[in-house]
């Protein structure tokens, strides 16, 4: 059953990727980015505001077209096939406010073959969210939790989470991180962007530092700690000191 | 409850130490099964690959033995466990002396402080015992 994972192509490969937004002059949001992401890793995508994290993520998900360069997921361009491979949590909510949580779960189960309703309901229960609640009655943080539950209930190969923990309380944050750890499987990779580095540092294998649209550093958390004698959080504050 | 980890050292090294303490103190007794990497990673709130790396180090030191496809057990070699315990005690003592010297104490002053501390603790314990009586 593991045969499908022995394909030669890396899970995610990014070649000389650039993105220029036309109405922003010559400003390059992503600038000659090269990156190869293997399976079985939990990776933090870090960088100051406006450094191109979300633009990069949107190109990986096929929501933005690159100005030049290319993204390959399992050797394929982003498209319908890659959406089967990637479970994506966008930076803002796209759920239909009038729907109940239960309807949202049915909707996802209908849409994605790899969606596990059982997993979704068990996570809802752990976080004390009623499946009968309508989304518009939920607080901002609870909505974010629902959305993350939907994304994490898939058996995807690549999870891309854009700011997954920013709006939720510390206790739920711990639960979410534990969920990420217990769901870990050596055939899939999780990329998550965040500013809350100290909260997630011990959960990460590797970190990607971006600066002005370029890749600045791609290394392991323990490499930073042993070479710099400081946490990734402290190192980030030093590297990006204003 | 996540394990308490310092920010300035590699995570796997800190986890390794905590696992060694558990083995030396008998939380994981000789010859007993260890929890799975995944369970311990969840308990410690750390990445499973990091936990795996700490386990690999434990295996290399011989304190832990992998049973193919079944999991890991603590070694039954109690001498090896005693040796690990002794080594940890030496490390603790060294760091205590380093810290005390930084405060400006001479070695003989440190020793007499330790002696008076153990006396105080013993007296305090006696006091508790006599109160209970």
């Amino acid at each position: 059953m593991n045969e499908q994972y022995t394909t030669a192509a890396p899970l995610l490969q990014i070649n000389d990727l650039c993105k220029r937004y036309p109405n922003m002059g010559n400003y390059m949001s992503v600038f000659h980015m090269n990156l190869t992401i293997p399976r079985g890793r939990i990776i933090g995508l870090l960088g100051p505001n406006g450094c191109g994290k979300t633009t990069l993520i949107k190109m990986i998900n096929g929501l933005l077209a690159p100005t030049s360069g290319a993204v390959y997921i399992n050797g394929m361009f982003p498209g319908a096939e890659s959406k089967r491979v990637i479970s994506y949590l966008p930076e803002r909510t796209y759920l239909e406010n009038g729907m109940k949580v239960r309807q949202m779960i049915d909707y996802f189960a209908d849409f994605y073959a790899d969606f596990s309703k059982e997993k979704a309901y068990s996570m809802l229960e752990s976080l004390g969210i009623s499946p009968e609640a309508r989304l518009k009655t939920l607080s901002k943080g609870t909505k974010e939790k629902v959305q993350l539950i939907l994304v994490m209930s898939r058996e995807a190969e690549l999870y891309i989470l854009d700011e997954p923990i920013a709006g939720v309380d510390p206790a739920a944050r711990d639960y979410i991180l534990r969920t990420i750890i217990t769901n870990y499987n050596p055939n899939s990779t999780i990329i998550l962007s965040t500013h809350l580095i100290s909260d997630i540092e011990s959960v990460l294998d590797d970190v990607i530092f971006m600066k002005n649209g370029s890749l600045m550093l791609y290394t392991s958390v323990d490499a930073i700690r042993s070479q710099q004698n400081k946490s990734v959080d402290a190192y980030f504050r030093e590297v990006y000191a204003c | 409850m996540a394990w308490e980890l310092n920010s300035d050292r590699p995570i796997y090294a800190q986890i390794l130490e905590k696992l060694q303490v558990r083995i030396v103190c008998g939380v994981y007794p000789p010859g007993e099964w260890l929890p799975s990497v995944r369970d311990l990673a969840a308990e410690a709130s750390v990445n499973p690959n990091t936990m795996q790396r700490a386990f690999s180090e434990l295996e290399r030191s011989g304190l832990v033995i992998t049973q193919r496809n079944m999991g890991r057990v603590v070694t039954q070699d109690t001498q090896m466990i005693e040796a690990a315990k002794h080594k940890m005690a030496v490390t603790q003592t060294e760091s205590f002396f380093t810290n005390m010297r930084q405060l400006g104490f001479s070695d003989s002053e440190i020793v007499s402080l330790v002696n008076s501390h153990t006396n105080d603790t013993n007296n305090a314990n006696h006091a508790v015992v006599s109160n209970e009586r």
Side-chain angles (χ1 to χ4, degrees):
Chain A
M1 109 172 229
N2 280 333
E3 273 172 11
Q4 56 176 311
Y5 297 119
T6 54
T7 45
L11 182 54
L12 173 63
Q13 179 148 15
I14 288 164
N15 287 348
D16 206 26
L17 191 68
C18 296
K19 179 68 191 178
R20 189 178 60 234
Y21 290 114
N23 54 0
M24 287 170 71
N26 275 330
Y27 181 74
M28 302 290 273
S29 179
V30 170
F31 191 65
H32 297 296
M33 185 104 177
N34 286 290
L35 203 56
T36 303
I37 305 278
R39 295 172 191 281
R41 309 298 280 179
I42 303 177
I43 302 169
L45 178 59
L46 314 175
N49 304 112
C51 73
K53 299 187 296 287
T54 296
T55 302
L56 174 68
I57 287 175
K58 284 183 172 171
M59 284 192 281
I60 297 171
N61 284 289
L63 299 175
L64 281 175
T67 305
S68 66
V71 174
Y72 301 96
I73 297 112
N74 280 343
M76 302 173 296
F77 289 125
E81 267 309 303
S82 75
K83 290 190 168 67
R84 198 195 296 274
V85 176
I86 302 176
S87 189
Y88 167 49
L89 179 79
E91 53 176 339
R92 56 182 73 119
T93 171
Y94 56 91
L95 301 178
E96 178 53 53
N97 251 329
M99 279 172 103
K100 290 181 179 175
V101 176
R102 182 183 298 286
Q103 291 171 315
M104 241 15 261
I105 288 177
D106 289 340
Y107 191 61
F108 261 67
D110 204 28
F111 217 84
Y112 296 109
D114 59 4
F115 189 86
S116 160
K117 280 191 180 184
E118 197 186 331
K119 219 183 213 177
Y121 281 117
S122 118
M123 283 196 259
L124 281 176
E125 201 187 332
S126 304
L127 289 172
I129 302 168
S130 162
E132 302 309 326
R134 272 185 208 284
L135 284 161
K136 64 179 163 201
T137 67
L138 300 177
S139 73
K140 182 169 175 284
T142 309
K143 252 187 242 176
E144 287 190 28
K145 289 180 200 170
V146 170
Q147 194 155 338
L148 187 63
I149 288 171
L150 291 169
V151 169
M152 292 308 293
S153 296
R154 287 184 56 196
E155 300 283 345
E157 292 176 50
L158 179 59
Y159 298 86
I160 301 181
L161 315 175
D162 200 352
E163 287 284 353
I165 55 171
V168 306
D169 60 85
R173 218 172 273 174
D174 284 348
Y175 174 79
I176 288 164
L177 293 177
R178 229 171 28 248
T179 307
I180 289 176
I181 293 169
T182 46
N183 279 340
Y184 169 84
N185 107 51
N187 290 319
S188 62
T189 281
I190 300 172
I191 298 175
L192 54 100
S193 84
T194 186
H195 295 297
L196 300 164
I197 305 173
S198 59
D199 277 1
I200 57 148
E201 197 169 328
S202 63
V203 174
L204 301 178
D205 286 296
D206 307 313
V207 287
I208 295 169
F209 277 26
M210 278 182 77
K211 193 173 191 177
N212 298 332
S214 297
L215 177 70
M216 204 179 95
L217 180 71
Y218 177 19
T219 186
S220 78
V221 168
D222 274 349
I224 289 181
R225 282 170 168 247
S226 57
Q227 283 158 21
Q228 308 289 335
N229 289 325
K230 52 173 74 95
S231 66
V232 175
D233 185 68
Y235 186 55
F236 182 98
R237 285 167 206 260
E238 184 185 295
V239 168
Y240 297 108
C242 301
Chain B
M1 186 63 210
W3 295 3
E4 204 66 46
L5 298 170
N6 293 331
S7 59
D8 53 350
R9 287 192 307 134
I11 296 164
Y12 92 92
Q14 297 183 54
I15 289 185
L16 176 63
E17 281 164 18
K18 285 181 197 288
L19 292 173
Q20 278 170 337
V21 168
R22 287 186 174 192
I23 290 171
V24 159
C25 299
V27 176
Y28 305 137
E32 288 289 308
W33 292 101
L34 286 168
S36 71
V37 168
R38 188 178 293 257
D39 286 352
L40 269 180
E43 185 196 317
S45 286
V46 301
N47 184 294
N49 292 322
T50 309
M51 186 58 79
Q52 177 67 47
R53 187 168 171 202
F55 270 76
S56 304
E57 293 286 322
L58 276 179
E59 280 162 26
R60 231 188 1 217
S61 72
L63 277 176
V64 160
I65 298 155
T66 302
Q67 311 277 16
R68 196 167 283 270
N69 291 332
M70 291 175 66
R72 293 174 185 79
V73 292
V74 179
T75 179
Q76 300 201 3
D77 184 346
T78 46
Q79 273 184 337
M80 185 189 281
I81 296 177
E82 272 307 311
K85 189 174 185 171
H86 184 74
K87 201 173 152 197
M88 287 162 79
V90 169
T91 312
Q92 287 292 332
T93 312
E94 273 169 3
S95 82
F96 172 69
F97 268 81
T98 309
N99 290 335
M100 291 299 279
R101 282 176 197 140
Q102 270 176 1
L103 289 176
F105 287 97
S106 73
D107 285 6
S108 58
E109 281 172 322
I110 298 171
V111 171
S112 72
L113 267 168
V114 169
N115 281 332
S116 71
H117 178 79
T118 44
N119 285 338
D120 284 354
T121 327
N122 285 342
N123 290 339
N125 286 344
H126 280 301
V128 172
V129 171
S130 50
N131 277 346
E132 279 173 357
R133 279 176 190 160

